[in-house]
Amino acid sequence: QVQLQESGPGLVKPSETLSLTCSVSGGSIRNFYWTWLRQTPGKGLEWIGYIYYSGNTDYNPNTDYNPSLESRVTISRDTSNNQLSLRLSSVTAADTAIYYCAAISVSGYILVWGQGNLVTVSS
Amino acid sequence: EIVLTQSPGTLSLSPGERATLSCRASQNVGSDLAWYQQKPGQAPRLLIYDASDRATGIPARFSGSGSGTDFTLTISSLEPEDFAVYYCQQRYNWPPITFGQGTRLEIK
């Protein structure tokens, strides 16, 4: 059973970059599609983006992002450590949220969720 | 972007009663819809996918129906552990995926 654990700072200053890591256990990051989402009381659940491998290559994962965040977000992977990462630049208070990493099926449903990481943007 | 609207916002029922939750899509999504349950302090959990298929380990009292723009999650007889927030999610021509704003199911 795949398990996910997010980690990273709980507080980020405005205009800085939010960086989170997701450690994957019980499965290889090569074998699934992976996604990041966030949740706020105001906007609810929001899809941030995803990363996946096509074919047998480790070198060119594909990514796709929510158009509303695309200019600020990067999702990447570290196959040697079986980890995923999220970077969101130029954060504002509106980026305050619980951030989740998750395994998403090829068909687009969230199969496994991490426990979530609350990030507050404040000076 | 496909917008999902859930109703009601809050549903107050007693254990043993039947719960009916609705999700309406802003355009036709076929059967490309899922339901999730979220309890306080926890991540959501997949209950139903493809509008009516139960995910692994989900009790038979949970059922989903609908297609096109109107979908329903039914809990046939509420157990105490079923009181939570429920979200619908569409994956029609994903990415992106989008979620409804949630229905809170509370004990009456």
Side-chain angles (χ1 to χ4, degrees), chain A residues 37 39 45 47 50 64 100 104-111 113-114, chain B residues 32-34 36 38 43-44 46 50 87 89 91 94-97 99:
Chain A
L37 310 100
Q39 185 173 29
L45 285 161
W47 177 74
Y50 80 121
D64 207 335
Y100 293 100
I104 187 167
S105 69
V106 171
S107 55
Y109 298 124
I110 312 296
L111 302 176
W113 299 69
Chain B
D32 294 344
L33 191 108
Y36 298 82
Q38 186 176 31
L46 180 65
D50 289 347
Y87 296 95
Q89 174 240 320
R91 58 111 181 178
W94 86 288
I97 59 173
F99 293 83

Side-chain angles (χ1 to χ4, degrees), chain A residues 59-120:
Chain A
Y59 303 105
N60 292 302
N62 298 284
T63 54
D64 207 335
Y65 302 119
N66 189 321
S68 68
L69 298 169
E70 187 166 18
S71 63
R72 299 193 290 129
V73 67
T74 302
I75 295 174
S76 59
R77 87 283 179 258
D78 178 352
T79 53
S80 60
N81 289 310
N82 223 36
Q83 291 180 330
L84 306 159
S85 66
L86 171 71
R87 289 173 59 85
L88 183 66
S89 63
S90 304
V91 297
T92 69
D95 295 310
T96 294
I98 298 172
Y99 286 79
Y100 293 100
C101 66
I104 187 167
S105 69
V106 171
S107 55
Y109 298 124
I110 312 296
L111 302 176
V112 181
W113 299 69
Q115 88 287 351
N117 194 117
L118 174 61
V119 178
T120 301

Side-chain angles (χ1 to χ4, degrees), chain A residues 24-48:
Chain A
V24 179
S25 59
S28 169
I29 65 170
R30 297 178 180 84
N31 297 336
F32 295 89
Y33 284 29
W34 305 99
T35 191
W36 286 92
L37 310 100
R38 65 184 184 180
Q39 185 173 29
T40 63
K43 291 191 70 176
L45 285 161
E46 182 179 28
W47 177 74
I48 298 172

Side-chain angles (χ1 to χ4, degrees), chain B residues 9-10 46 53 56-57 71 81 84 92 107:
Chain B
T10 302
L46 180 65
D53 292 337
T56 303
F71 300 86
E81 63 267 27
Y92 185 77
I107 299 177

